[in-house]
Every structure is written in structure tokens, then in C-alpha cells.
């Protein structure tokens, strides 16, 4: 029987999980990161401002989780962007483009509008990356 390694990824440089989940899980050379919302890990507070302002914090949190897993944003192969309002797509897309500017290949992506997000934030992003 083949053995699989599943490793919990956890860092204080990103918001702690606020429910029964891990910040990320590393398995078989992949990192599956839970959705990140714009919480400042130092204060535990939601970043106020526009969806773009919130997206900047989201990508700081994603980068911290990926670093804890021994990888970085240039290794992301799939991203899912959740928006409270699809009208914010353009401004969040600018932040997204900046976050992935050094990636040799841009990740596959889905972007969807949802009725509400945790803590009533404007944006949440989850990623899958190579370890």
C-alpha cells in the first residue's frame, strides 16, 4: 500500500484558521491553501477600504502561507477569486496582476461573485501551488 504524506501548514504571519480547517495542506508536491480574507494577522482586524485595498492584504496573507509551505506565489497553478461585487473585478484584477507579475506562467483562474463572504469582506482568494 502506498503511503501519502499530508502536512498541515500553519504560520503566525497570516490569519489563524477561524474554524475547523488548516491555513493550507501540503500533499504529494502540492500546496492547497484555504481562502484568505483581508485580515491583518498582527491585529486580527479586517483591512478597511476598497476591494483593491482588501485584495492587497489577501495576497500578503497568501504569500505568507505559501512561504510557510516552502513555496511562493510564482508556483501557483490555480487561483479562485471570490468577490462580493463583480463590479470590483477590474480593481481586484489589477492587484491580482501585480501579485503574479513574476510568475513564469500565470495560474488558471476562476472569478465568481458570491452573495456574502466571511466577516462580510469584499474579496477572498484561494490558491493551489506546487510545493
Amino acid at each position: 500500500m502506498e503511503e501519502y504524506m499530508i502536512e498541515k501548514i500553519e504560520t503566525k504571519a497570516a490569519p489563524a484558521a477561524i474554524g475547523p480547517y488548516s491555513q493550507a495542506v501540503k500533499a504529494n508536491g502540492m500546496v492547497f491553501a484555504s481562502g484568505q480574507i483581508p485580515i491583518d494577522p498582527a491585529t486580527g482586524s479586517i483591512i478597511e477600504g476598497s476591494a483593491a485595498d482588501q485584495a492587497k492584504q489577501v495576497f500578503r496573507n497568501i504569500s505568507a502561507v505559501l512561504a510557510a509551505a516552502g513555496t511562493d506565489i510564482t508556483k501557483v497553478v490555480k487561483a479562485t477569486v471570490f468577490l462580493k461585487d463583480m463590479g470590483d473585478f477590474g480593481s481586484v484584477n489589477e492587484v491580482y496582476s501585480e501579485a503574479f507579475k513574476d510568475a513564469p506562467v500565470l495560474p488558471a483562474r476562476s472569478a465568481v461573485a458570491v452573495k456574502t463572504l466571511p466577516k462580510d469582506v469584499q474579496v477572498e482568494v484561494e490558491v493551489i501551488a506546487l510545493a
Side-chain angles (χ1 to χ4, degrees):
M1 185 152 126
E2 205 171 330
E3 187 176 323
Y4 296 97
M5 282 293 295
I6 299 175
E7 177 186 350
K8 178 180 180 176
I9 304 300
E10 190 171 32
T11 178
K12 293 186 184 313
I18 54 175
Y21 62 91
S22 299
Q23 286 174 320
V25 174
K26 187 189 284 191
N28 297 327
M30 302 294 292
V31 176
F32 301 86
S34 293
Q36 289 293 314
I37 61 174
I39 294 176
D40 179 341
T43 65
S45 298
I46 300 292
I47 297 297
E48 297 297 325
S50 68
D53 294 332
Q54 290 192 351
K56 289 174 187 172
Q57 183 63 49
V58 165
F59 281 103
R60 285 191 288 272
N61 294 344
I62 288 169
S63 293
V65 170
L66 293 174
T71 191
D72 62 53
I73 203 152
T74 67
K75 305 286 190 319
V76 171
V77 297
K78 174 71 170 101
T80 305
V81 179
F82 302 95
L83 297 166
K84 186 175 176 182
D85 181 348
M86 195 54 86
D88 292 324
F89 179 81
S91 63
V92 170
N93 197 48
E94 287 180 26
V95 175
Y96 180 97
S97 295
E98 180 65 22
F100 288 104
K101 71 177 189 264
D102 295 327
V105 175
L106 292 171
R109 178 181 75 184
S110 301
V112 296
V114 295
K115 185 173 179 179
T116 57
L117 288 165
K119 300 194 177 278
D120 202 33
V121 300
Q122 297 174 66
V123 61
E124 178 175 4
V125 179
E126 67 180 22
V127 299
I128 300 170
L130 299 174

